[in-house]
Amino acid sequence: MVNLRKLVLLTAALAITANVFAVESLEDVMKRRGLTEKNVLAAAKTYVPTGGRDEYIAFSSGGQSGHVLVYGIPSMRILKYIAVFTPEPWQGYGFDDESKAVLAEGKIQGKDINYGDTHHPALSETDGKYDGKFLFINDKANPRIAVIDLHDFETKQIVVNPVFKSSHGGAFVTENTEYIIEAAQYPAPFENEYVPLEKFNERYRGGMTYWKFDRKIGRIDASKSFTVMAPPYSQDLSDFGKGPSSGWSFTNSFCSERYVGGIMQNKPPFEAGCSAKDTDFLHVVNWKKAAELVAAGKATKINGHNVITIETAVKEGIIFLIPEPKSPHGVDVSPDGKYLIVSGKLDSHASVFSFAKIQAAIQSGSFEGKDNYGIPIIKMQDALHLQVQVGLGPLHTQYDSKKCVVYTSIYVDSQVTKWDYCEGKVLDKISIHYNIGHLMTMQGDSVEPEGKYLVALNKLAIDRFNPVGPLHPQNHQLIDISGDKMELLYDMPLPLGEPHYAVAINAKTLKPGVRYRSGWNSRTDKKSKFKTRAGREKIVRTPGKVEVFGTTIRSHITPEIIEVTEGDEVELHFTNLERAEDETHGFAMYGQNVNLSLEPGKTVSTTFIADKAGVYPYYCTEFCSALHLEMEGYLLVKPKDYNDDTKKSSVGATYTKADYEKQVKENIATQAIIDQVVGIILGQNYKDFPPVVALVEDAVDQLGFAKEAKAKADAAAAKEDWQNATLWAGQWWQYQVKAADIGLRAKTYLEQHGAVKLDKK
Ligand code: K7E
Ligand code: CUA
């Protein structure tokens, strides 16, 4: 009693002392930290209170990491790295058999490629609006496109471009995501063979691949995809038309000089030869008609893939060129589909092309001539709406919600220029740190841009952050564009590859799941054939092979002991039986390169050869409950000729009747607390709160397990087997503790979300 009173007094005293120091005012903090009023305003605009949510979700390329980064806007808090082209252990990506199969789709001519240079993420669209269903991203180094399902933010498919040897102008989607475009970058022969550089003009080719997306199954259909071949001009960024320009695509190029360098051969480098001319070519392609040509059998098969040759494309009138200044980079179609804005890296202008004017030139057949491959060239002046002096080295353009307002990244000047593309006038400029590449406005490449924020994706960070060695983090700068003047709000370091482009979607459009259907193969989106239900765990032995059908649930792995013989092939399949939100278990094993992630409901597998006799502990890698450390087991690999003559001896401690009775007493007391919490929850309108309904389900599950364990304890006690009776009573208590923990979480949730007491009838 005395002790308790002492404690109360001490706590009260502490609270008083703490209060004395806790009266720091906003002004005090500003002074102490050297913050200006502008800083505090910026902080208030970006701060998301604890437990709060962001208004937008950004998907950024992860550059050389081969991943996609997901972060919230305006808080700039990183939410996830989606593993795409590169293994990522936490997600088990590239470690479980299911995801290894996805990475294996990305092999290039039989070779494993375990990284990607991701550049441009694209969100799926319906009628030109983001629908929040899928995300696509390209790999520039190894021309590939990946499909990510936004139901679970997982990579489902990788397709390899069958004819290109690099690509850049992808991924961009049509208004209804019928096709995903991927344009070539460095010209190369379409065939997988050696062709000397002397044959560059004749045999090296570029082009645009149109990947057919099958929305029903959520996968690209390679058999219905095709490529429109183009001259070796180093095609660059692309975009699809929409509205009036629907059915057309636009692709830049930057080395229409077709220059081939060779510093060691005493030739000036590529950079000199590829920037010699004042203009390159914008490729204008009627992809709808191209698709019809493919359907009509007019494509040629190269490496088993449909290719429309330059000759066919010219003959059928589906490809045109327009000169564009100078070493251009970005091409961005306006939300209404009437204009496209192109910027030249070595120019100070942005050029606005009019789709109506392009069409008029094509209809009238008035061209300034043909290129060496017979493709008609539309006169630049005939297609131009206007040009605006935006700054030195303009790259990419994004659209605002305000009509005619756009933002262009200015690489050399390190600025963003806000301008009006209808009238052709500059509205505002802001300095960036440093050398901006892409930029992104909220939903800025959909038909419904929402403005509000702009993110500058900068190439250099230099002195913006605490130094961490010669390799600096990347810097995304958040800018408020809601007013007339742009205002810099925040610098966010990104420590994972150079992000090129990013897209941001209104968070309300995304509806990701929180669990899988029980026994789910998330990579094929089908029920796994290895799904294992509670109580049906088994180990199947055939000569030379051991297959384990196991489960995980707080806090044990079934089986806990796996015995195999040296040289056996071991296949482990685990199903996470949890239904509770965020109850992921991991599975790591000593010395076998085994690391799995089991989200609720998921089934994953791993296969390896137990080629060395020994003891291999395994355990759960997610701190999933108080007894997480006890979520463990052993793989025992016996030597081939092992003669098991050890006497079975008891392992560990022994228990008595008194131990059993003590445990049962504690269990009964615990049950009283659980009943009390259950009474409180059931007495409220908990059914109005879906998260609480899920928690109650989970708690009921746990109490069901407790009942099973109790029955086993009772049975053992009836046989006076105090050893097992005590251990099963302990397990019964473990389930009770989990149920109590869940119950308390539900009770707290109800308290914090304004649940009310139900009237007693
Ligand atoms: Cu870096 Cu779009 Cu690949 Cu421009 S790209 S910056
Ligand atoms: Cu499951 Cu820790």
Side-chain angles (χ1 to χ4, degrees), residues 79-101:
L79 301 171
K80 192 164 207 167
Y81 295 153
I82 305 173
V84 184
F85 295 110
T86 310
E88 199 288 298
W90 180 46
Q91 297 163 44
Y93 191 68
F95 291 87
D96 62 58
D97 293 347
E98 288 78 3
S99 61
K100 276 182 184 168

Side-chain angles (χ1 to χ4, degrees), residues 14-81:
L14 272 176
I16 292 163
T17 344
N19 273 337
V20 172
F21 290 106
V23 290
E24 225 184 357
S25 68
L26 181 59
E27 290 80 46
D28 293 337
V29 176
M30 285 170 68
K31 207 167 147 204
R32 177 162 61 80
R33 299 199 60 216
L35 300 174
T36 64
E37 201 171 308
K38 209 172 158 208
N39 294 153
V40 173
L41 192 61
K45 283 182 180 183
T46 54
Y47 180 67
V48 172
T50 167
R53 304 284 179 93
D54 278 296
E55 192 180 355
Y56 293 95
I57 300 297
F59 295 89
S60 169
S61 107
Q64 306 89 327
S65 75
H67 299 324
V68 165
L69 302 114
V70 185
Y71 60 83
I73 291 176
S75 77
M76 308 300 270
R77 295 179 300 183
I78 293 180
L79 301 171
K80 192 164 207 167
Y81 295 153

Side-chain angles (χ1 to χ4, degrees), residues 119-120 140 168 237 329 395-396 437-438 459 498 500-501:
H119 276 236
H120 307 109
K140 169 170 162 160
H168 187 240
L237 280 173
H329 193 39
L395 298 183
H396 302 284
H438 274 273
K459 295 301 178 193
E498 181 193 330
H500 289 261
Y501 186 42

Side-chain angles (χ1 to χ4, degrees), residues 639-751:
K640 266 206 175 90
D641 45 8
Y642 189 71
N643 189 3
D644 195 350
D645 59 359
T646 45
K647 290 209 185 71
K648 297 274 182 225
S649 63
S650 71
V651 179
T654 50
Y655 301 102
T656 60
K657 186 177 181 199
D659 291 322
Y660 169 70
E661 283 168 350
K662 189 171 157 229
Q663 183 65 57
V664 170
K665 207 174 145 198
E666 175 148 19
N667 293 7
I668 290 165
T670 306
Q671 193 57 46
I673 297 170
I674 293 173
D675 292 344
Q676 206 187 339
V677 175
V678 167
I680 294 170
I681 295 167
L682 297 186
Q684 299 180 61
N685 60 333
Y686 80 93
K687 285 186 179 158
D688 296 340
F689 302 90
V692 176
V693 173
L695 287 172
V696 168
E697 260 179 23
D698 188 23
V700 169
D701 282 353
Q702 298 297 333
L703 289 175
F705 301 140
K707 217 171 139 189
E708 286 169 25
K710 179 180 185 299
K712 285 179 181 159
D714 290 348
K719 284 189 271 173
E720 299 198 356
D721 173 359
W722 305 118
Q723 185 72 12
N724 279 310
T726 309
L727 289 170
W728 279 115
Q731 183 60 37
W732 157 22
W733 188 70
Q734 288 310 326
Y735 287 123
Q736 286 183 313
V737 169
K738 278 156 205 147
D741 176 53
I742 298 158
L744 287 171
R745 227 188 301 162
K747 183 173 158 273
T748 310
Y749 187 99
L750 290 174
E751 280 162 13

Side-chain angles (χ1 to χ4, degrees), residues 590-610:
Y590 161 73
Q592 299 286 1
N593 205 31
V594 167
N595 185 63
L596 309 172
S597 173
L598 289 139
E599 293 93 271
K602 203 181 211 181
T603 296
V604 294
S605 309
T606 181
T607 308
F608 58 93
I609 306 287

